Amino acid sequence: MAPVKISIIGAGSAVFSMRLVNDLCKTKGLAGSLVSLMDVDEQRLNGVHELASRYVRELGADLRFEKTTSLETCLHEADFVINTALVGGHAYLNKVRAIGEKHGYYRGIDAQELNMVTDYCTITNFNQLKFFVDVARLMEKICPNAWLLQTANPVFEGTNLISRCSNIKVVGFCHGHYGVIEMAEALGLDENKMDWQVAGFNHAIWLNRFIYDGRNGYELLEKWIQEGNLEKWRPKNPFDLQMSPAAIDMYRFYGIMPIGDTVRNSTWYYNKDFETKKKWYGEPWGGPDSEEGWKWYEQQLKTTTDAIDFLSKNRTLKLLSLNTYLKFLPKGAVPVEMKKEVEVFSSPDKLSGEQHIPFIDSLVNNNARRFVINVPNEGYIEGVPNGVFVEVPAIVDKDGWHVEKIEPKLTDKVLRFYLWPRMMRMEWALHAIMNGDKAALIEFLMRDPRTKTLEQAKAVIEEILNLPENQQMKTHYEKGLKL
C-alpha cells in the first residue's frame, strides 16, 4: 500500500471526478491517499466533495479529501496532477462558434480538416492552452517531481505545448481506443480472443493490428460489410460512430480502421453541412459535432448535472443503490452505455474504465498493465519526428512506460495523408500561440475552404479577440508576446 496525493483540477466536472473517486476507492494499493479537489466554481466543487465523501463512507474505503479554489493549494505536495479543466466552459466554446458561423464558418473556425471535434479547439482557445502552460510551470515550482496527467482537450496540442514550455513529466489520456471494443461487439467477437493494437495521435488513432483467434480480423470486418450490415446500421446516439458509413469509407481509403474519435476527426467530405453529416454519421443527429448532435450532448450534460446536484443535496439517498440512479435515466429502454455507468457506481468493485487511477497504481505499486497513452515519440511510429506526442499501447510499471513495437506499421496513406497534415496543423497552432503570431492565425484560416476573402478571415479573428474574456489573448497577439 502506497498512499499518494492526487490533485484533480476542474473537479467540478462531477461525473468524471466521481469516476476517479470510484476507481480510487476500489484500488486497495492506493488506500490512505489524499485527493485534492480543485475548481473555481465553488458550488459545483462543494457538490462533488459531498458526493465523494459519502461514497467513500458507504464503501468503507480509506480515502481522504480536501477541497479548494486555490491552484497553489491543490498542487502543494502533489504526486499526481490530473487536469480536466475547460476554461470558460462550453459557454465560451458556443460563443466563439457562433461568431465563426456569423462570418461564414460552419461549426466555427476551430472546425478544421482532420480536426472536427467540437470541444477540441486549437486556434481560438488561448485561455485553455495558456492555462495548461500555467499549471505546468506552477508545478515546476511547487511539485516538480509530480506527474501531470493531461486529460482536458485538446490533448494533442496540449501535451506538445506543455512539453515545449516546461520540464514536467506529462502524459496524455483519452478513452477513444475503446472504439476497438465497440467494433468487436458489432462484429460479434470475443474481446479475449483479440490481438489488437492502435497507433497515431490523440483523436487520430488507427487499428494497425487486428487478429482474432489467430485469423486476420479484417476478413471478419469485410464479411460484416458484405452481409449488408452497413446498410442496416443506425446510430444509438450521436457518439455511436465506430461502424458508421464515415468509418467504413475511411477504412476503404486508408486501408485500416479509424478508431474512436478519429471517425469524427475526418475531412470536409463528411462534414461540409448538416445534411452531409447525417449521410455519413447517421440520422437524426449527424454525429456529435453537428448542431443537433451537440444540442443532444448539452441536454445530456444538463440532465446529469441536475441529477448530481439533487444527489448531493439529498444525503439520505444511498449511492451504492442502483435504484438511486435509475430514476434519473430516460423513460423506457435504458441505453446500454448509461446502464453500464450506473452499474459501476452502484457496484462495490467495478472500475470505470478510465485509465488514470490504474496508471497511478501501476507506477506506484509496480502493478504492470497495458494502457493506450500519449507520450513523446521515440521512434515508436516511424515517419513521425521524435518528441511529438503519439498515442500508442504501452505496458506501465514502476519504471514508467514501455511502448510496444508498432507492428505492422501504419499504412503509408495514414502516415502521409492523415498524420502528417494533422501534425502540421498542431505545429501551426503552437507556433501561433508560442510566438503571439497573429498573422499565423489569419494565414491558418486562408487555407480553410470556407474562407472566401482575406477580409473575412481578419474579421472573424478580430471579433473573437475583442470578446471581454479574451483581453489577455488580444494583448498576447497584438504585441507578439512569447508564451
Side-chain angles (χ1 to χ4, degrees):
M1 184 174 73
V4 294
K5 179 177 178 180
I6 300 171
S7 301
I8 304 176
I9 301 171
S13 177
V15 173
F16 186 77
S17 293
M18 287 302 295
R19 286 176 186 166
L20 298 180
V21 170
N22 171 85
D23 294 348
L24 263 172
C25 287
K26 299 169 184 177
T27 303
K28 295 181 180 179
L30 296 175
S33 292
L34 171 64
V35 180
S36 181
L37 302 170
M38 182 267 162
D39 204 287
V40 295
D41 187 326
E42 201 161 3
Q43 181 177 350
R44 294 180 66 179
L45 177 64
N46 289 337
V48 171
H49 182 264
E50 162 64 23
L51 280 178
S53 300
R54 279 166 52 195
Y55 194 69
V56 168
R57 289 195 298 270
E58 287 189 32
L59 273 174
D62 182 7
L63 199 61
R64 296 175 295 128
F65 295 101
E66 67 176 21
K67 60 177 179 176
T68 180
T69 57
S70 165
L71 188 56
E72 288 80 0
T73 300
C74 182
L75 296 179
H76 180 65
E77 295 185 342
D79 298 295
F80 297 91
V81 178
I82 302 174
N83 186 0
T84 73
L86 176 57
V87 177
H90 288 124
Y92 172 74
L93 302 186
N94 289 340
K95 184 186 292 188
V96 170
R97 186 180 308 112
I99 291 173
E101 294 199 320
K102 168 186 168 184
H103 288 272
Y105 295 91
Y106 175 61
R107 303 309 290 155
I109 66 173
D110 277 295
Q112 290 285 337
E113 184 91 348
L114 306 182
N115 183 23
M116 298 292 183
V117 176
T118 299
D119 63 349
Y120 211 89
C121 300
T122 59
I123 62 172
T124 64
N125 220 356
F126 172 86
N127 297 327
Q128 177 81 339
L129 291 167
K130 176 69 163 53
F131 182 69
F132 291 173
V133 175
D134 290 346
V135 169
R137 288 177 174 166
L138 198 55
M139 287 177 64
E140 287 182 312
K141 295 178 181 179
I142 297 177
C143 52
N145 296 317
W147 287 78
L148 174 56
L149 280 56
Q150 182 60 37
T151 305
N153 284 330
V155 171
F156 185 42
E157 277 75 9
T159 50
N160 281 289
L161 180 63
I162 291 165
S163 71
R164 297 177 193 188
C165 294
S166 76
N167 293 313
I168 285 296
K169 295 177 291 189
V170 58
V171 57
F173 285 84
C174 189
H175 44 227
H177 61 280
Y178 286 123
V180 174
I181 308 307
E182 293 176 24
M183 190 175 77
E185 291 175 352
L187 298 180
L189 307 182
D190 181 350
E191 177 188 345
N192 297 316
K193 295 181 180 181
M194 290 180 63
D195 175 12
W196 62 270
Q197 199 177 64
V198 294
F201 303 142
N202 181 239
H203 288 195
I205 56 175
W206 298 81
L207 187 64
N208 63 301
R209 186 163 77 228
F210 181 22
I211 300 171
Y212 183 73
D213 202 17
R215 178 182 175 185
N216 181 356
Y218 276 113
E219 294 177 358
L220 302 176
L221 176 60
E222 287 292 342
K223 180 181 177 184
W224 182 88
I225 296 170
Q226 291 166 8
E227 289 176 346
N229 290 292
L230 182 59
E231 288 73 23
K232 301 173 188 174
W233 175 87
R234 297 293 183 274
K236 296 184 288 293
N237 61 65
F239 289 86
D240 178 25
L241 304 178
Q242 187 56 65
M243 305 303 288
S244 65
I248 301 303
D249 195 60
M250 292 171 76
Y251 159 61
R252 289 290 190 221
F253 180 75
Y254 290 103
I256 52 179
M257 273 290 276
I259 295 297
D261 293 304
T262 314
V263 181
R264 299 161 69 187
N265 269 345
S266 46
T267 75
W268 287 112
Y269 186 63
Y270 312 115
N271 291 283
K272 67 178 183 177
D273 54 39
F274 184 43
E275 291 305 313
T276 301
K277 283 178 176 287
K278 286 193 291 185
K279 173 184 175 181
W280 292 103
Y281 295 119
E283 302 269 5
W285 305 287
D289 304 301
S290 72
E291 45 271 59
E292 290 301 318
W294 197 247
K295 187 187 299 181
W296 180 94
Y297 170 74
E298 291 192 314
Q299 182 56 54
Q300 297 299 307
L301 199 61
K302 182 182 185 303
T303 299
T304 302
T305 301
D306 291 347
I308 293 291
D309 183 60
F310 180 83
L311 289 172
S312 66
K313 292 176 180 176
N314 290 269
R315 301 183 180 184
T316 59
L317 292 173
K318 294 295 183 183
L319 300 179
L320 286 177
S321 167
L322 184 60
N323 288 330
T324 295
Y325 303 99
L326 289 178
K327 68 175 64 177
F328 295 106
L329 297 184
K331 304 281 186 208
V334 177
V336 173
E337 63 275 10
M338 286 189 174
K339 185 177 181 181
K340 288 180 180 178
E341 184 91 39
V342 299
E343 284 178 346
V344 166
F345 283 117
S346 60
S347 160
D349 54 14
K350 289 184 179 180
L351 299 183
S352 70
E354 299 291 352
Q355 299 184 98
H356 305 69
I357 303 307
F359 177 85
I360 293 171
D361 183 47
S362 292
L363 283 174
V364 172
N365 296 309
N366 200 31
N367 290 326
R369 296 182 181 88
R370 188 190 199 219
F371 298 88
V372 176
I373 50 178
N374 293 266
V375 298
N377 193 38
E378 294 182 8
Y380 309 135
I381 298 182
E382 294 183 23
V384 173
N386 283 346
V388 171
F389 274 66
V390 292
E391 189 162 304
V392 287
I395 301 298
V396 177
D397 57 24
K398 65 179 179 60
D399 297 318
W401 57 71
H402 312 279
V403 175
E404 297 175 3
K405 182 178 181 181
I406 305 304
E407 193 173 35
K409 298 177 184 178
L410 294 170
T411 67
D412 283 345
K413 277 188 172 182
V414 165
L415 183 66
R416 297 175 182 177
F417 303 154
Y418 192 96
L419 294 183
W420 287 357
R422 178 67 186 93
M423 178 175 64
M424 292 314 299
R425 288 193 177 276
M426 176 273 293
E427 294 290 357
W428 200 309
L430 263 55
H431 163 83
I433 190 172
M434 292 178 71
N435 295 281
D437 191 345
K438 183 177 175 182
L441 296 180
I442 296 169
E443 184 63 25
F444 191 98
L445 284 183
M446 293 308 296
R447 311 298 176 94
D448 190 310
R450 298 168 298 174
T451 301
K452 307 305 178 187
T453 66
L454 176 60
E455 289 70 25
Q456 177 191 4
K458 287 181 176 180
V460 71
I461 293 294
E462 287 301 323
E463 186 164 350
I464 290 170
L465 290 178
N466 281 300
L467 287 172
E469 57 266 65
N470 282 343
Q471 186 58 52
Q472 188 179 15
M473 178 183 181
K474 181 177 181 180
T475 300
H476 181 79
Y477 281 109
E478 290 191 344
K479 293 187 175 180
L481 301 178
K482 300 286 185 181
L483 196 59

